[in-house]
Amino acid sequence: MMTDVLVAHAKEVEKAEFYKKTYLHVALAILAFIGVETVLLKTVPPEVIGLMFGGRYVWLLIIGVFWLASVLANKWSLSQSRSVQYMGLGFYILLEALIFMPMIYIAVANFGGSIIYQAAMLTIAMFAGISFVAFTSKRDFSFLRNIIVIGGFISLGLIVGGMIFGFDLGLWFSVGMVILASATILYQTSKLKDSYTTDQYVGASLQLFASIMLLFWYILRILMSRRS
C-alpha cells in the first residue's frame, strides 16, 4: 500500500530501504540509457544524426522540447502512483538518449569508445564522492538552491545565445557546468529525505539520474575539447 510519509519522518529501516531502492533505480536507469543509446546509434542513419548537430535552430527546437518534456517528467516523478513515476523515468531516459546521440556519435567517430569510458568513470567517481559528502556531512546545503536556480537560468541563456549568434562557449563554460551539476547533486542528495515519501524512490532516482547525465555531458565535452 502506498504511504505519504516523508523519508525524514520514517523509521531508520524504512529510510535505508528507500535509499537502497533509489540508488538501485539510478543504476538501472543508467543501464537502460546505455541500452537505448546503443540501439539508437545502430539504427538511426548518420544523415539524421547530422541534422541534429548541423543546424543551430534545430538544436533550439530540441532544447525547447526537452525542457517542456523534462518539466512533465519531473511532475510525474512526484506522483504517488508508482506506475506514473516509472513512466516519468522511462520517458526521461529516452529523452536523454536522444539528446546525447549526436555528441556520443561524434565522440566515438573522432576519439573512439575509450573517451566515453573515461567520461563515465569520472562521472561515477564524482557522483560517489559528492554523495558521500551529502550523507556524512552535517551541514545544511539549502543555500545551494538559489545558486543552482540562478546558475541554471544563466547557463540556459548562454547556451541559447551561443546557438543564435554562433559563438563557442568554450572550455570554462563546461567547467562551470560541471561545478553546477555537482552542486545540484549535492543539494538533491541532501534534500531527498525532505522531498520524497518512502514510496517515491522511483521519482527520486529520476532527479539524481538527470543531474548525473548533466555532469556526464560536460565532463565528456571537456575531454573532447582537450583532445581536439
Side-chain angles (χ1 to χ4, degrees), residues 208-222:
L208 292 177
F209 172 72
S211 298
I212 291 170
M213 297 311 294
L214 179 64
L215 181 62
F216 175 60
W217 175 280
Y218 284 101
I219 287 177
L220 180 56
R221 283 197 57 159
I222 290 172

Side-chain angles (χ1 to χ4, degrees), residues 3-18:
T3 64
D4 58 357
V5 178
L6 279 175
V7 176
H9 302 150
K11 298 176 181 177
E12 291 301 318
V13 174
E14 294 173 328
K15 287 181 182 178
E17 188 67 16
F18 168 81

Side-chain angles (χ1 to χ4, degrees), residues 144-209:
L144 290 174
R145 183 179 183 277
N146 290 335
I147 296 174
I148 293 167
V149 171
I150 295 171
F153 278 113
I154 292 174
S155 61
L156 182 60
L158 289 172
I159 292 170
V160 173
M163 290 179 180
I164 293 175
F165 300 107
F167 60 83
D168 184 19
L169 294 173
L171 175 63
W172 288 109
F173 177 79
S174 294
V175 172
M177 290 303 295
V178 166
I179 295 172
L180 182 64
S182 300
T184 303
I185 292 171
L186 182 59
Y187 173 76
Q188 288 177 341
T189 304
S190 65
K191 289 298 178 182
L192 283 179
K193 64 183 183 300
D194 301 313
S195 304
Y196 294 94
T197 67
T198 52
D199 284 314
Q200 290 180 313
Y201 49 85
V202 179
S205 69
L206 189 157
Q207 292 288 332
L208 292 177
F209 172 72

Side-chain angles (χ1 to χ4, degrees), residues 104-180:
I104 296 290
Y105 180 84
I106 294 172
V108 173
N110 293 330
F111 309 107
S114 62
I115 195 170
I116 306 296
Y117 176 79
Q118 291 172 14
M121 291 301 100
L122 283 171
T123 303
I124 292 172
M126 288 186 66
F127 175 69
I130 294 167
S131 300
F132 178 79
V133 171
F135 281 116
T136 58
S137 176
K138 295 182 180 180
R139 292 193 59 185
D140 183 6
F141 295 103
S142 299
F143 69 93
L144 290 174
R145 183 179 183 277
N146 290 335
I147 296 174
I148 293 167
V149 171
I150 295 171
F153 278 113
I154 292 174
S155 61
L156 182 60
L158 289 172
I159 292 170
V160 173
M163 290 179 180
I164 293 175
F165 300 107
F167 60 83
D168 184 19
L169 294 173
L171 175 63
W172 288 109
F173 177 79
S174 294
V175 172
M177 290 303 295
V178 166
I179 295 172
L180 182 64

Side-chain angles (χ1 to χ4, degrees), residues 3-102:
T3 64
D4 58 357
V5 178
L6 279 175
V7 176
H9 302 150
K11 298 176 181 177
E12 291 301 318
V13 174
E14 294 173 328
K15 287 181 182 178
E17 188 67 16
F18 168 81
Y19 287 119
K20 180 174 116 179
K21 289 179 178 179
T22 296
Y23 283 91
L24 173 62
H25 279 77
V26 170
L28 292 174
I30 292 172
L31 291 174
F33 167 81
I34 294 171
V36 173
E37 193 68 71
T38 301
V39 171
L40 287 175
L41 290 171
K42 288 183 177 181
T43 57
V44 177
E47 296 79 13
V48 176
I49 298 176
L51 288 175
M52 294 181 67
F53 60 79
R56 49 185 158 179
Y57 296 110
V58 174
W59 260 111
L60 283 175
L61 176 62
I62 291 173
I63 287 178
V65 172
F66 179 74
W67 181 79
L68 290 173
S70 296
V71 171
L72 180 61
N74 287 332
K75 182 178 180 181
W76 287 342
S77 77
L78 293 170
S79 172
Q80 281 294 325
S81 169
R82 194 164 305 148
S83 60
V84 174
Q85 292 176 49
Y86 274 115
M87 186 187 305
L89 180 58
F91 187 47
Y92 201 86
I93 290 170
L94 178 59
L95 282 175
E96 289 285 4
L98 290 170
I99 290 291
F100 266 86
M101 184 170 53

